[in-house]
Amino acid sequence: MHLFSRRSVLKGATAFGGSALLSRPVLADDNLPVLRAAPAFAQLAPAGYPETPVWAYATGASGTVPGPEIRLRAGERVRRRLVNDLPQATAVHWHGIRIENAMDGAAPLTQAPVPPGDGFDYDFVAPDPGTYWYHSHNRSTEQVARGLAGPLIVEDRDRWLGQSGAATRELVLVLDDWLLDAEARIVEGRWDDLHAASHGGRMGNTVTVNGVAYPAFDIRPAERVRLRIINTATDRVMPLALPDFTARLIALDGHPVVPRDLETLVLGPAQRADVVIDGRLDGDARAGLLLDPGNGELVEIAAFVHGGAPVAMSDPDMRPLPAWGTLPAPDLSNPQRETLLMEGGAMRGMRDARFAGKTMGFRELVSNGMVWAFNGAANGMDQPIFRAAQGRTIHLEMTNRSMFPHAIHLHGHHFTVQSKGGFANAAGDVRDTVLVGADETVGIAFVADNPGAWMIHCHMLSHQKSGMMAWFEVA
Ligand code: C2O
Ligand code: CU
């Protein structure tokens, strides 16, 4: 693991606020805003390194990494025409949105991948406020690694920002992890790397925040800022810390939590957290967002630079976000009980698993690019792992019998984490993606209220590709 050293890059640090990502969409002939996927260039590595060829989403002429911010109010529609100018078929998934099935973008389950030169019209309601993102859901190990991801922000129905005890400003922080060579080009042709896939996945060597290595953000003394933090990395679990601030967690995966003090925040791939920080008053000019790259050390990946006159102190009591009011509560008196057993990977492996209609030994699985299984099947997409009647509460017990953590994501639903590692989850966190540690069991519950065929997979995209993918049906 080698992150570009910070010392060499301090001079190149740039301020880059969330609002800089906003741009006016180009309209198609029939007034549908266009979201174009196409090759582009981005200055990912620090100044002095060349620009990186990426694949990016664009609303205007050229694509950006991360993709343009899409922002709306809860209950409003998102309407975008995907135009595919990539050399490969693609599809867009709106991660975390409790969406209508046909708009989920989960190719090939909910739609055919969109061929180069073709398009697809997405039109859906985003019912719940919160911090979400959109990303490619076809050949995603490669396409997300090349840059096809962007923030999707659903604003609260009732105004929170600016109210007493709330933040006065917000900042979207899109975190990503890139595997670059010495010329800052994305390392290609290792999308099928089974060594990486059977460990933690494809690990990068450059972390960016809003597409910039080591950016600096301005903050005024005492200013209360809501950070919407999104981990868009293909495989990297990001342990994060903001040790120079009193930081409070207010939402996970878009769903409000009772505000609580934050020491470290572990964000698996696809997970989000909304965190509120108060600008320091003590004249300390610089504070950092720190990441543990996997060796227990903390590396600064972004700085907050204090400046300007202090603003009025905020109420020390943090104002909670307004409740969603849209999510049905699971009925735990008699849930439908289902299980998900995860097996495979380095150091444990598995004896055999079903793949493509037959049972294969480990070697044969490996020769088919499979090193993981859910319930004894590697990428068993021929039938659902369970079926639920619409409105039924599902209790899903997920057991990880491997040596690596997995970020399990359910499409079309949010779920309550009931238990983790043998302990009841008193906080009752509601999420769409949950980390299940090595040898850990996590119990979740949700009302299967959204009809359709929904994917359930590991969001370490290298793991998804090599076996950890399945679906369930609500009818
Ligand atoms: Cu964010 Cu199936 O993915
Ligand atoms: Cu995994």
Side-chain angles (χ1 to χ4, degrees), residues 197 199-200 235 342 372 374 402 404-408 457-464 468:
H199 291 77
D235 295 276
M342 307 165 215
W372 299 98
F374 278 169
S402 79
F404 297 89
H406 301 291
I408 303 299
H457 62 87
C458 179
H459 223 291
M460 278 84 170
L461 299 177
S462 307
H463 293 171
Q464 178 189 8
M468 302 192 98

Side-chain angles (χ1 to χ4, degrees), residues 3 75 90 102 105 110 116 126 152 188 216 234 245 274 298 304 372 375 449:
L3 290 162
T90 194
T110 64
L152 172 55
E188 297 181 13
T234 55
F245 294 106
D274 287 42
L298 287 170
F304 295 91
W372 299 98
N375 292 354
D449 62 341

Side-chain angles (χ1 to χ4, degrees), residues 5 49 64 75 156 224 280 286 289 293 324 338 345 356 400 455:
S5 82
Y49 288 90
T64 55
D156 308 312
R224 182 165 285 181
R280 295 175 64 100
R286 193 185 171 96
L289 171 62
W324 275 9
E338 302 290 347
N400 178 0
M455 288 193 76

Side-chain angles (χ1 to χ4, degrees), residues 24-315:
R24 285 228 152 265
V26 169
L27 300 183
D29 304 343
D30 49 3
N31 268 347
L32 206 60
V34 165
L35 185 67
R36 202 165 73 92
F41 288 89
Q43 185 67 47
L44 297 177
Y49 288 90
E51 283 194 313
T52 301
V54 294
W55 290 358
Y57 292 115
T59 44
S62 57
T64 55
V65 168
E69 178 181 290
I70 297 176
R71 184 177 277 266
L72 66 150
R73 199 164 282 254
E76 291 179 352
R77 300 194 86 84
V78 175
R79 296 173 70 238
R80 288 292 184 283
R81 170 163 299 164
L82 168 68
V83 173
N84 183 6
D85 286 333
L86 299 169
Q88 286 178 2
T90 194
V92 184
H93 172 55
W94 313 90
H95 184 113
I97 303 294
R98 295 190 306 128
I99 199 169
E100 183 191 327
N101 192 250
M103 295 290 122
D104 195 40
L109 186 65
T110 64
Q111 69 168 89
V114 179
D118 221 332
F120 188 92
D121 292 349
Y122 292 98
D123 183 351
F124 58 91
V125 171
D128 313 304
T131 302
Y132 303 92
W133 62 301
Y134 61 95
H135 63 83
S136 159
H137 213 294
N138 190 54
R139 298 178 59 106
S140 55
T141 319
E142 171 176 355
Q143 294 192 5
V144 175
R146 287 186 185 272
L148 290 169
L152 172 55
I153 307 301
V154 184
E155 291 179 347
D156 308 312
R157 283 168 200 270
D158 305 314
R159 200 174 162 74
W160 177 82
L161 215 60
Q163 306 297 300
S164 110
T168 51
R169 178 164 70 93
E170 65 172 51
L171 193 55
V172 179
L173 301 179
V174 180
L175 276 43
D176 208 345
D177 175 44
W178 306 85
L179 185 57
L180 303 181
D181 69 15
E183 269 75 61
R185 288 175 306 225
I186 292 171
V187 175
E188 297 181 13
R190 299 220 315 240
W191 319 115
D192 293 306
D193 181 347
L194 279 186
H195 179 80
S198 63
H199 291 77
R202 177 183 166 101
M203 287 299 134
N205 49 18
T206 304
V207 170
T208 57
V209 178
N210 296 348
V212 176
Y214 315 106
F217 301 95
D218 293 332
I219 188 169
R220 292 174 66 182
E223 188 184 21
R224 182 165 285 181
V225 182
R226 172 184 188 171
L227 307 177
R228 295 178 178 266
I229 308 174
I230 311 173
N231 180 356
T232 69
T234 55
D235 295 276
R236 179 179 292 284
V237 177
M238 298 191 179
L240 300 167
L242 289 153
D244 302 315
F245 294 106
T246 306
R248 279 169 289 187
L249 181 73
I250 57 167
L252 286 171
D253 294 354
H255 190 275
V257 300
V258 176
R260 56 187 194 236
D261 289 345
L262 186 86
E263 270 156 32
T264 52
L265 171 69
V266 179
L267 278 190
Q271 291 188 313
R272 291 89 63 211
D274 287 42
V275 173
V276 174
I277 54 173
D278 288 334
R280 295 175 64 100
L281 273 173
D282 59 3
D284 196 346
R286 193 185 171 96
L289 171 62
L290 310 184
L291 166 80
D292 174 0
N295 55 6
E297 253 174 57
L298 287 170
V299 177
E300 186 181 285
I301 59 169
F304 295 91
V305 178
H306 289 78
V311 300
M313 288 274 283
S314 302
D315 189 330

